[in-house]
Amino acid sequence: MSWTPNEYKAFKKGAMLRVIDNYDNMARMAVFNRIASNKKKLNIEKDLFDAKSARKRIVDGDNTWKESKKIDTTRHTKAQEAMKKWAENLSKKG
């Protein structure tokens, strides 16, 4: 069986959209787990993964659809550096 170029592009786009649906389902499961554990509500699109934006990027032909949710890691790195300094100071005292 041979595919035309348009059929192949549609198949490839469909496969990427399936991955988006899987990510969306995992995000929803995480939210339900969080709600069940902590009784707090989260916004899926803002807090975990923005599936609408990712789908739009795939349809528009953008290959960076996985970057639909950008995570700021500056606070995490600052906290890690502070913990390293604290551990060094603690080991010097002891």
Side-chain angles (χ1 to χ4, degrees):
M1 180 175 138
S2 63
W3 290 348
T4 65
N6 286 336
E7 288 174 333
Y8 177 72
K9 286 179 187 176
F11 177 76
K12 186 177 172 184
K13 191 177 285 189
M16 288 189 287
L17 288 171
R18 185 179 311 129
V19 172
I20 296 290
D21 287 338
N22 286 338
Y23 283 170
D24 190 35
N25 288 337
M26 288 188 287
R28 289 182 187 280
M29 286 188 288
V31 168
F32 291 143
N33 188 20
R34 171 79 186 254
I35 291 171
S37 299
N38 299 322
K39 306 274 185 180
K40 293 182 181 178
K41 291 187 178 183
L42 297 174
N43 186 347
I44 295 170
E45 287 80 19
K46 289 182 181 178
D47 296 332
L48 295 175
F49 182 74
D50 190 0
K52 286 182 184 178
S53 172
R55 284 187 189 100
K56 184 178 182 307
R57 286 181 177 196
I58 287 177
V59 171
D60 292 342
D62 188 3
N63 290 330
T64 60
W65 59 268
K66 287 187 179 180
E67 298 170 4
S68 294
K69 172 68 178 161
K70 295 185 179 179
I71 299 172
D72 185 21
T73 59
T74 54
R75 291 178 65 192
H76 181 259
T77 36
K78 286 181 182 180
Q80 281 185 328
E81 290 173 5
M83 289 298 289
K84 284 181 185 177
K85 288 179 184 177
W86 177 79
E88 288 173 3
N89 288 339
L90 185 66
S91 63
K92 287 179 185 177
K93 291 179 183 177

